[in-house]
Amino acid sequence: MRCRRRYGLVSLLLAVCLGLSGCQNTKIVLTTGLASDELFRIGEVSCMLPEALVYLMNQKGGYENIYGAGMWEHSLGDMTMEAYLKNQVLSELAQVKSMVLLAEEREIVLSEEETARAAAAAEEYFGSLEEKEVAALRVDQEIVRKMYEDYCLAFKTYGQITEDVSVEISDDEARIIQLQQMLLPEEHLAEELREKLEQGEDFGSLAANYSKIAQTTVNIARGDKGGEYEAIAFDLDNGEISPVFAEDGGYYILKCLNTYMEEESEANKIQVAQREKTERFRSIYEELMEDTLSEFQEKLWDKVNFSDYGEVQTSSFFDLYEKYFGTS
């Protein structure tokens, strides 16, 4: 089962460092001033406990389908697996609700087709629940429909904002080069080997015998190495051997095999552009959230224990989102 792949929005938003606990510009207040089943509020957007229970139990069920119910007996560092998943779900929901708030600010709304898909997904999901699950989750079809709408709106908001950002990446910014490298423990040895290379000895053979690193041939993009290594590497011509330079606790020698790997560089251009869009999106998000107040009922969430939901076996919420909205 694709347990983590299904949470596409989670991966997307974690990449831009959002979340109730992760957004430094959002003021977070632990409060009892919310409604009895209102878990948290970001600005004017609320998350109710039944929503959080649906997220939590579906992710719990997805994990158990792979690893078994016994996985919750284990720990992740100084935290139980149960506590870890609860924290993760809280962060994910905060990300979604933050995006809903951003959608309101930017006047981004769902189309009629999207709301119809959310309604159909909600009908199928709610219909899959047994009566005991409905009672435990305290959920109804209307709540589920709104959850699917929020989830879709979060995707749509991110997509629309980043699509509006024009980014041009030059060939040089996206360039991937191919090198041979060796790292030697002593400078005098490095200088001796460089002389041998200049005399025509094989780079790979010398690296196999003397280098401190196993990988001789590497593809490098800007930002992969940084420092003097990157500055020297990207200044080499095809076939050129670098001077000896100190870095990473030793002395490097590089040889450029290809100054522009066309296929890899074109693929990297897309990734670099997406990173740039993400950075610009983050600035838009942080500007919105700078003065936004987040309120959280910590005690309400602390009372949620897996042992109280043993009859809840649901795990199809996110799969049904993929079915109706085509998220991969």
Side-chain angles (χ1 to χ4, degrees):
M1 178 181 290
R2 303 158 295 167
C3 182
R4 296 306 300 168
R5 186 183 68 77
R6 68 179 60 164
Y7 310 130
L9 176 63
V10 172
S11 299
L12 176 68
L13 298 185
L14 286 177
V16 294
C17 300
L18 308 184
L20 186 65
S21 60
C23 181
Q24 297 179 349
N25 289 336
T26 304
K27 299 177 179 66
I28 301 171
V29 177
L30 302 182
T31 181
T32 56
L34 302 175
S36 60
D37 62 345
E38 189 176 8
L39 183 58
F40 66 83
R41 183 187 302 161
I42 299 176
E44 298 300 318
V45 178
S46 292
C47 177
M48 309 306 288
L49 182 61
E51 298 177 72
L53 290 175
V54 170
Y55 265 63
L56 182 63
M57 292 303 140
N58 273 270
Q59 294 201 32
K60 172 179 176 288
Y63 278 117
E64 289 178 353
N65 287 339
I66 300 174
Y67 303 110
M71 67 170 292
W72 308 114
E73 300 173 3
H74 302 287
S75 298
L76 189 65
D78 58 353
M79 181 181 298
T80 65
M81 290 296 296
E82 177 177 345
Y84 171 80
L85 185 58
K86 286 180 63 180
N87 286 347
Q88 186 73 7
V89 165
L90 184 65
S91 178
E92 293 167 10
L93 274 166
Q95 291 155 18
V96 172
K97 295 299 183 177
S98 297
M99 296 298 289
V100 171
L101 177 63
L102 183 56
E104 292 181 357
E105 292 287 328
R106 308 279 283 195
E107 297 184 346
I108 299 171
V109 297
L110 298 182
S111 66
E112 290 184 5
E113 180 184 358
E114 288 165 336
T115 55
R117 289 183 182 183
E123 182 178 6
E124 182 170 349
Y125 176 72
F126 188 75
S128 73
L129 298 176
E130 298 182 7
E131 288 186 10
K132 59 185 178 183
E133 292 178 313
V134 171
L137 297 173
R138 291 190 281 173
V139 72
D140 58 32
Q141 188 168 321
E142 178 64 16
I143 291 174
V144 176
R145 181 192 60 78
K146 184 62 168 59
M147 291 177 67
Y148 278 123
E149 288 185 355
D150 284 353
Y151 205 59
C152 179
L153 188 58
F155 271 110
K156 185 172 185 175
T157 301
Y158 179 84
Q160 186 165 317
I161 291 174
T162 54
E163 284 175 6
D164 291 342
V165 174
S166 177
V167 176
E168 292 186 6
I169 305 298
S170 69
D171 289 344
D172 188 60
E173 288 177 283
R175 181 162 60 108
I176 292 182
I177 62 177
Q178 187 171 62
L179 304 169
Q180 286 181 304
Q181 61 176 4
M182 65 174 81
L183 179 62
L184 293 313
E186 299 173 351
E187 185 176 11
H188 72 85
L189 174 60
E191 293 290 357
E192 288 179 9
L193 295 182
R194 190 183 185 283
E195 288 184 14
K196 292 183 178 182
L197 291 170
E198 291 288 359
Q199 294 168 7
E201 292 203 27
D202 181 65
F203 195 107
S205 298
L206 292 177
N209 289 326
Y210 295 100
S211 181
K212 294 167 60 178
I213 48 179
Q215 190 173 11
T216 300
T217 302
V218 291
N219 296 345
I220 300 293
R222 293 194 182 277
D224 285 350
K225 294 291 291 187
E228 191 171 8
Y229 186 111
E230 182 172 311
I232 290 174
F234 278 85
D235 197 44
L236 295 174
D237 290 328
N238 283 332
E240 185 178 359
I241 298 171
S242 74
V244 172
F245 63 95
E247 203 159 289
D248 298 334
Y251 297 87
Y252 274 106
I253 306 172
L254 308 177
K255 180 179 179 180
C256 182
L257 300 180
N258 191 335
T259 60
Y260 187 81
M261 302 186 72
E262 184 173 359
E263 184 176 341
E264 290 82 356
S265 296
E266 286 301 311
N268 189 47
K269 186 178 290 188
I270 296 173
Q271 296 180 19
V272 173
Q274 185 58 52
R275 285 198 297 270
E276 178 66 21
K277 286 186 175 185
T278 297
E279 286 300 317
R280 296 188 190 183
F281 173 84
R282 187 185 310 184
S283 68
I284 293 170
Y285 175 87
E286 289 181 348
E287 182 179 354
L288 168 70
M289 299 300 291
E290 185 173 1
D291 297 317
T292 300
L293 179 67
S294 293
E295 300 174 88
F296 173 46
Q297 287 202 78
E298 185 175 22
K299 291 183 179 179
L300 181 61
W301 194 231
D302 286 344
K303 292 178 181 178
V304 175
N305 297 300
F306 286 179
S307 59
D308 296 329
Y309 297 88
E311 294 184 334
V312 178
Q313 302 297 315
T314 181
S315 63
S316 63
F317 180 87
F318 298 99
D319 285 331
L320 287 174
Y321 184 86
E322 289 188 9
K323 173 181 175 180
Y324 284 93
F325 291 92
T327 302
S328 60

